[in-house]
Amino acid sequence: MSLEDGPLFFVGIDWAATAHAVCVLERTGRKVAAFTIEHTAAGFARLAARLDKLGDTELTAVAIERPDGRLVDALLEAGHPVMPVKPNAIKTWREAEVLSGAKSDPGDAHVIADYLRVRIHRLRPAVPYSGSTKAVRAVTRTRGDLVDARVAAVNQLAALLDAHWPGAKVIFASLSSAIALAFLTKYPTAASAASLTEKRLAAFCAKQGYSGKKPAAVLLARLRSAPAGTTDPDLSEGARVAVLAQVGVITALNTAIKDLDRAIAEKIDAHPDGEIFRSFPRAGTVNAAQILAEWGDAREAFGHPDAIAALAGITPVTKASGKQRGVSFRWACNKRLRQAITTFADNSRHASPWA
């Protein structure tokens, strides 16, 4: 018997950080087993051993509210069909099936297993990605997280300068640039820049290799035209420490992002599909790697181009009832893939003469 004939057992796993509740149902809905495993190597081994006793792993389907992770990897490596299910879908199913509103981890595992048993024909099994694709995903996702962290750190630095030294915020175009960070390292407070002259500023810019087109006179005018900075000695000292701390955070993030950029270039060059994705008009290296990482190399998982478009959240959702009909934004999607695809769309229009 194959999976197409229907699994013999349906496993629901309620995922948690330290322990996972497991429920096993047979085709009729009768509960075969219910137990809890720890999120450890021993716990994973115990789960594998319990599921192996049920027979052919290909006929023991598993549903879990996660599309990836080490537990999902272990189940896929063991040969189980793994069906990622959406938490909102399980929540709605539980509310319809558990009228009392009772909720527990073992109860949720049972709900997930029953959802899988009833709706398996509508669910798509997870397809394991290759090691090279996982490597690209690891570095691109980490880079995305660090870019978000840098945006937050720059906003915090901007708020700090607004409160204590507004001029330092506007002298250069970007607070995360090397020249702006070097300036704040040398002049973290208004008091430290009190004796700054046009000649000294020009010398500083030359030493830093400033490539901006604004002469020192313009930059100094920006600095002096902003509201005056804090002059209280005690407050200035506190602001100095705070500014240097934020500068250190942003500098470290800049270095880490550059290191990841190099790693991304190496990973996509080594990927079998790297050349295909890098051929996208103006996708570049990082954006091409982001698309590849989220799209993956298991193309058989998408039966039609509309499927990948829906996954990326770039197709609208139509809601019609009676005489009313509306088209709305698609919220349920892979958010990272949507960002990658929309970034590519924006970049590619610059390579099109009619866009």
Side-chain angles (χ1 to χ4, degrees):
M1 183 181 291
S2 67
L3 182 60
E4 294 178 355
D5 298 318
L8 295 176
F9 298 99
F10 303 86
V11 182
I13 300 179
D14 184 52
W15 192 94
T18 59
H20 316 294
V22 183
C23 178
V24 182
L25 303 179
E26 64 175 16
R27 284 180 174 177
T28 62
R30 184 179 68 88
K31 184 185 295 185
V32 176
F35 53 95
T36 300
I37 62 165
E38 299 297 319
H39 190 75
T40 61
F44 287 8
R46 178 168 172 254
L47 174 63
R50 291 290 296 267
L51 297 184
D52 280 345
K53 293 179 180 179
L54 299 175
D56 191 346
T57 57
E58 293 184 357
L59 299 178
T60 303
V62 181
I64 186 171
E65 294 174 296
R66 285 181 64 89
D68 51 26
R70 292 307 301 148
L71 179 55
V72 174
D73 290 342
L75 291 167
L76 289 171
E77 290 166 4
H80 293 282
V82 178
M83 317 287 182
V85 293
K86 296 185 180 298
N88 285 344
I90 298 302
K91 178 177 181 294
T92 302
W93 188 266
R94 181 177 60 247
E95 291 172 349
E97 295 293 318
V98 185
L99 300 181
S100 66
K103 185 182 185 304
S104 66
D105 292 344
D108 283 351
H110 185 279
V111 169
I112 294 171
D114 194 49
Y115 179 87
L116 172 64
R117 182 181 68 88
V118 176
R119 294 184 58 83
I120 189 168
H121 62 289
R122 300 292 302 273
L123 301 176
R124 179 184 293 119
V127 181
Y129 290 161
S130 65
S132 57
T133 296
K134 290 180 180 179
V136 174
R137 174 175 286 193
V139 291
T140 55
R141 285 190 171 185
T142 300
R143 182 189 185 278
D145 292 340
L146 292 187
V147 168
D148 290 342
R150 182 172 63 183
V151 170
V154 169
N155 288 340
Q156 292 166 0
L157 176 58
L160 187 63
L161 294 175
D162 273 335
H164 303 292
W165 192 21
K169 175 186 172 183
V170 300
I171 184 171
F172 296 106
S174 172
L175 280 178
S176 62
S177 64
I179 185 68
L181 295 175
F183 180 82
L184 288 171
T185 300
K186 186 173 181 64
Y187 305 106
T189 64
S192 63
S195 59
L196 183 64
T197 62
E198 181 181 334
K199 183 177 180 179
R200 288 179 178 177
L201 182 56
F204 167 82
C205 290
K207 183 178 180 181
Q208 297 298 323
Y210 175 59
S211 58
K213 298 181 180 180
K214 303 297 181 182
V218 174
L219 296 176
L220 189 62
R222 288 179 180 176
L223 185 70
R224 301 303 186 205
S225 62
T230 299
T231 57
D232 179 85
D234 292 334
L235 182 55
S236 291
E237 175 58 20
R240 182 188 70 82
V241 174
V243 167
L244 291 177
Q246 285 296 130
V247 167
V249 170
I250 298 171
T251 300
L253 287 170
N254 282 343
T255 300
I257 291 170
K258 289 180 179 178
D259 291 342
L260 285 169
D261 285 344
R262 287 190 289 270
I264 288 171
E266 293 173 359
K267 298 298 181 185
I268 195 171
D269 284 343
H271 196 285
D273 294 338
E275 185 177 351
I276 296 174
F277 284 83
R278 293 190 75 167
S279 69
F280 292 177
R282 295 192 58 124
T285 299
V286 173
N287 186 223
Q290 291 169 336
I291 299 172
L292 171 57
E294 301 306 326
W295 193 319
D297 50 12
R299 308 292 146 66
E300 64 274 14
F302 307 103
H304 192 274
D306 288 347
I308 189 66
L311 179 65
I314 56 177
T315 57
V317 176
T318 301
K319 297 180 180 180
S321 178
K323 296 181 179 180
Q324 295 184 342
R325 184 177 185 276
V327 179
S328 62
F329 185 76
R330 182 180 292 270
W331 294 101
C333 69
N334 180 328
K335 306 298 190 299
R336 292 179 187 267
L337 178 57
R338 174 160 62 197
Q339 182 176 3
I341 291 293
T342 53
T343 298
F344 163 64
D346 181 52
N347 290 341
S348 64
R349 67 185 176 88
H350 298 289
S352 173
W354 56 265

